[in-house]
Amino acid sequence: MIAILGLGVTVCMVFGGYILAGGKLSIILHSLPFEMMMIGGAATGAFLAANDFSTIKHAGADLLAVIKGPKWKKQDYQDLLCLMHELLAVLRDSPVEIEAHIEDPENSAILARYPKIQGDPAAVEMICDTVRSMTLQFDNAFQVEEMLEKQLSQMKEDSLHGAHALSNVADALPALGIVAAVLGVIKTMASIDKPPEVLGQMIGGALVGTFLGVFLAYGMVGPFAARVKSVREEEHSFYGLIREVLVSSLHSHPAPICVEVGRRNAPHKMRPSFQEMDDAIRELKKVA
């Protein structure tokens, strides 16, 4: 919602200042539909031409993420740490029993207690694949850490495709605005025999294209692309926490220490306190 508020403030301040300075909206409103058709249409066409269907779909989801904010909340980080504590405790006590959870995560009693995490394929795959490797005595902590780092790097790159696509659109909008303005000037030159007041309105209408291209680029699409990148990077920290806990386990630390390592690596505003985690783990033991 902050993104919508920011957009509203931008529009109000730009056009409010223009009106208070004595500007008239009639020229802008008259030219706006035609300029938007040229600039917006060209930007949309270029976006479709430059990206595959997956990226286009991703960009649509990214715009929704700007409004809703990051997927993972503070409670989700606490739930993840509790989940990792349960799985690592089972792995240490009974490596055979853990197979039921990692081979069939959809029917896992442990994962079922955390439905939001269970419903995220990327998180489930990272946890199950790595724990499976640990049960196969693939216990070189540094090699596993490198493997997880590469996986996380690829996940992050994939998650930022939409942000890069929107950023490219923002970069192109000023030039497309100039294209629309030049077309307006061409139209004006074809009516050079008109009275000065008519020519003034036509030139003003042509300049709306330049204004609109720059305004859309730096006042709307550019900030949205930056916000998308920020949201996706914040979400990526959730998966980084999984890596920290699993690698810590490979160094033969007990489950509570692994969870504490993960807790300290969570983003500050999403990090549960030590007491919150201690209480949550105590509740888990009561359930068990």
Side-chain angles (χ1 to χ4, degrees):
M1 294 305 295
I2 295 178
I4 301 299
L5 177 62
L7 180 59
V9 169
T10 300
V11 173
C12 290
M13 292 299 102
V14 170
F15 289 99
Y18 172 73
I19 293 171
L20 291 175
K24 296 181 179 180
L25 282 177
S26 57
I27 296 177
I28 294 177
L29 293 176
H30 174 75
S31 303
L32 190 61
F34 312 108
E35 302 293 339
M36 273 300 299
M37 180 178 178
M38 288 186 283
I39 299 172
T44 302
F47 176 77
L48 294 175
N51 300 285
D52 56 24
F53 180 76
S54 176
T55 302
I56 295 169
K57 183 179 178 181
H58 206 300
D62 287 339
L63 292 177
L64 291 177
V66 169
I67 299 173
K68 297 192 300 183
K71 174 181 178 180
W72 304 110
K73 311 302 181 185
K74 183 177 180 180
Q75 183 60 47
D76 298 319
Y77 279 80
Q78 181 173 313
D79 288 346
L80 175 63
L81 290 171
C82 290
L83 168 62
M84 299 304 295
H85 183 278
E86 288 196 76
L87 290 175
L88 293 179
V90 173
L91 175 64
R92 187 170 295 273
D93 294 338
S94 176
V96 175
E97 185 180 342
I98 196 66
E99 292 183 6
H101 300 288
I102 63 174
E103 297 299 338
D104 189 15
E106 294 182 358
N107 296 311
S108 166
I110 294 178
L111 284 162
R113 287 196 277 271
Y114 312 96
K116 188 173 180 180
I117 300 174
Q118 188 181 35
D120 186 79
V124 172
E125 179 184 8
M126 178 178 290
I127 294 170
C128 292
D129 286 353
T130 307
V131 173
R132 185 181 296 109
S133 298
M134 293 162 68
T135 63
L136 296 174
Q137 305 303 316
F138 185 35
D139 54 1
N140 186 325
F142 300 104
Q143 191 172 5
V144 172
E145 185 173 12
E146 181 181 1
M147 177 180 65
L148 287 172
E149 189 63 43
K150 290 180 179 178
Q151 183 177 359
L152 285 168
S153 178
Q154 185 61 54
M155 288 171 60
K156 184 176 182 179
E157 183 179 343
D158 292 341
S159 71
L160 292 177
H161 282 333
H164 294 323
L166 290 173
S167 181
N168 289 336
V169 171
D171 292 340
L173 280 169
L176 295 175
I178 293 174
V179 170
V182 170
L183 291 174
V185 172
I186 293 173
K187 175 186 172 184
T188 302
M189 295 303 293
S191 304
I192 198 68
D193 58 336
K194 301 292 183 181
E197 58 271 19
V198 175
L199 290 175
Q201 289 186 350
M202 295 179 72
I203 292 174
L207 292 175
V208 169
T210 302
F211 157 75
L212 195 60
V214 174
F215 177 72
L216 289 174
Y218 299 108
M220 295 181 66
V221 181
F224 265 62
R227 176 58 179 161
V228 167
K229 182 179 180 182
S230 174
V231 167
R232 295 311 185 196
E233 287 180 341
E234 184 173 326
E235 290 178 346
H236 188 72
S237 300
F238 186 83
Y239 304 104
L241 187 147
I242 296 174
R243 176 197 61 192
E244 297 297 335
V245 175
L246 292 174
V247 172
S248 179
S249 177
L250 283 166
H251 285 287
S252 302
H253 296 306
I257 297 299
C258 299
V259 168
E260 177 60 15
V261 170
R263 187 189 71 84
R264 294 194 181 192
N265 280 277
H268 185 267
K269 65 179 181 179
M270 298 294 182
R271 183 187 306 155
S273 67
F274 179 86
Q275 189 60 50
E276 288 173 334
M277 282 306 309
D278 188 56
D279 292 342
I281 291 173
R282 288 178 186 271
E283 287 297 320
L284 285 177
K285 291 179 179 179
K286 291 179 181 179
V287 173

